[in-house]
Amino acid sequence: MFSLSSKLEDAEGGKRKLEGDEAKRTYSEFSGSVLFGDFNDRADFNPPQSNAPDWMASIDDSKMISHITIPGSHDTMALYGGPAAICQAWTLKDQLMAGIRYLDIRTKACFGGLFCVHGPMYQKATFADVINIVQDFLKDHKRETVLLRVKPENLLFKGRVKEKVQRVIQGYDNIIVTSNIPTMGEARGKIVFVQKGQFDLGIPIHSTDKAGDYKVVDIGNKKDKILIHLKEAMNQCGRDKVILSYSSGTGVGTLKGMLLSPKCVAREVNPWLCNYLKKNILREESCFGVIAMDFPGFDLIQTVIKLNR
């Protein structure tokens, strides 16, 4: 049987002290949780020394936002509600510090406010909280930009969400809600809204996912769909819209995949996705647009970022 102490012995039989990132990787390997891997389901935030919260600083000012590969989180605020509802482990602040630059915010207008939800589950935050957290991040990281998509979850009167969003962001001079695709230089230090569906504030986005693609009854089939979506994204990237692909999915609500929660899907998909993307890093031109993920770990996020080299 392997033990943590035996892992710390070197090839010559002598013990050596592991420090920093290496020690954390070793511990996580035996504790059953991956701290720096491609999948993360731990709430605590312990970034490796290679973490890059200012990774956009190296992107040329003239590059269009639509021609950048951007790590994103699917259902960014979904931290509560049980296995069927939870899609992320880190808070919004920690996601931003880990390099996430596309936020998928589900909101419901009710009781005079605008609340973050996942389906019927309240996520213990308001839309104003989201804006405040992102603004605080951008104050300290002025060369970054954050793309923000708002999805209204009201069954009726979805227009109320847009009205309340406009009230929340009124007075800010670093929020882009126009439809023109900005360059990186124009977007630095700013929130860029993304329009999709009935929410028409911001720059246009094209999703490679088709209706029902988020439903997972077989992991192999899900991987095949992701490949199709990423190939489409590569062909479309750099045009007049931001391209969005999802690696997330769930079997909840299906008969055959009812046990495949978002976390179960991410645990299988994320390592495979990370390996696939690593094969594209050395390509001269690999643009995938936004890749929205559930439970991404540091290694997966950094792999997406490295595609911009």
Side-chain angles (χ1 to χ4, degrees):
M1 179 180 293
F2 288 103
S3 67
L4 181 58
S5 60
S6 66
K7 180 67 176 179
L8 302 183
E9 294 182 8
D10 63 17
E12 296 180 355
K15 292 187 177 180
R16 61 189 179 92
K17 183 179 179 181
L18 299 184
E19 297 178 346
D21 293 355
E22 187 180 7
K24 291 180 180 179
R25 285 193 183 92
T26 300
Y27 174 78
S28 67
E29 180 180 338
F30 283 86
S31 66
S33 181
V34 179
L35 295 180
F36 296 164
D38 28 52
F39 168 82
N40 171 70
D41 63 349
R42 293 175 59 113
D44 55 313
F45 186 73
N46 296 295
Q49 294 175 358
S50 59
N51 191 50
D54 296 288
W55 66 268
M56 287 182 151
S58 63
I59 296 177
D60 193 282
D61 279 347
S62 64
K63 181 165 280 192
M64 305 296 290
I65 290 295
S66 57
H67 204 272
I68 301 172
T69 302
I70 298 174
S73 53
H74 158 257
D75 231 312
T76 301
M77 303 299 288
L79 300 171
Y80 306 98
I86 297 174
C87 297
Q88 305 298 329
W90 287 323
T91 64
L92 172 55
K93 177 181 177 182
D94 290 343
Q95 290 181 44
L96 292 169
M97 288 300 296
I100 294 293
R101 294 294 177 269
Y102 169 87
L103 309 180
D104 174 21
I105 307 298
R106 315 295 175 97
T107 60
K108 179 174 287 187
C110 58
F111 305 113
L114 190 57
F115 302 93
C116 297
V117 298
H118 182 191
M121 299 296 180
Y122 172 51
Q123 296 303 316
K124 303 182 181 181
T126 65
F127 183 72
D129 293 332
V130 170
I131 294 298
N132 289 336
I133 292 169
V134 178
Q135 290 286 9
D136 286 344
F137 172 80
L138 290 174
K139 286 178 184 176
D140 294 329
H141 305 273
K142 293 180 170 56
R143 294 186 62 76
E144 302 298 292
T145 186
V146 177
L147 276 61
L148 192 154
R149 178 207 174 183
V150 174
K151 182 180 180 182
E153 292 287 358
N154 290 63
L155 294 176
L156 300 173
F157 309 113
K158 291 182 183 291
R160 291 180 181 174
V161 170
K162 177 182 175 181
E163 293 173 5
K164 292 185 180 297
V165 165
Q166 289 175 313
R167 290 178 191 171
V168 170
I169 65 176
Q170 186 176 10
Y172 286 104
D173 60 2
N174 68 331
I175 296 180
I176 297 175
V177 295
T178 56
S179 60
N180 295 328
I181 303 290
T183 63
M184 188 66 234
E186 293 168 337
R188 293 196 192 280
K190 298 177 181 177
I191 298 172
V192 180
F193 270 69
V194 173
Q195 58 168 285
K196 193 174 187 297
Q198 296 181 338
F199 188 85
D200 58 1
L201 291 178
I203 62 177
I205 195 166
H206 168 71
S207 176
T208 59
D209 277 43
K210 307 301 184 289
D213 278 353
Y214 72 92
K215 297 179 181 178
V216 181
V217 297
D218 179 84
I219 297 294
N221 288 340
K222 175 62 178 177
K223 292 176 181 177
D224 290 341
K225 288 180 180 179
I226 294 172
L227 281 179
I228 293 171
H229 298 155
L230 290 178
K231 289 177 181 177
E232 179 184 346
M234 188 179 290
N235 290 332
Q236 297 288 330
C237 192
R239 300 188 183 181
D240 58 351
K241 295 181 180 180
V242 173
I243 303 300
L244 168 66
S245 300
Y246 292 96
S247 66
S248 56
T250 181
V252 176
T254 68
L255 183 60
K256 292 183 178 180
M258 65 176 64
L259 299 179
L260 292 173
S261 66
K263 183 188 291 188
C264 290
V265 174
R267 185 180 285 113
E268 297 295 324
V269 167
N270 288 10
W272 165 85
L273 175 63
C274 193
N275 288 331
Y276 172 77
L277 294 176
K278 283 179 178 179
K279 296 177 183 177
N280 285 273
I281 289 176
L282 298 178
R283 293 174 57 132
E284 185 174 341
E285 194 69 30
S286 292
C287 177
F288 291 100
V290 174
I291 303 177
M293 305 167 284
D294 283 347
F295 299 99
F298 289 109
D299 190 30
L300 178 54
I301 294 171
Q302 291 182 13
T303 297
V304 175
I305 291 171
K306 289 176 183 176
L307 291 166
N308 292 292
R309 293 179 177 176

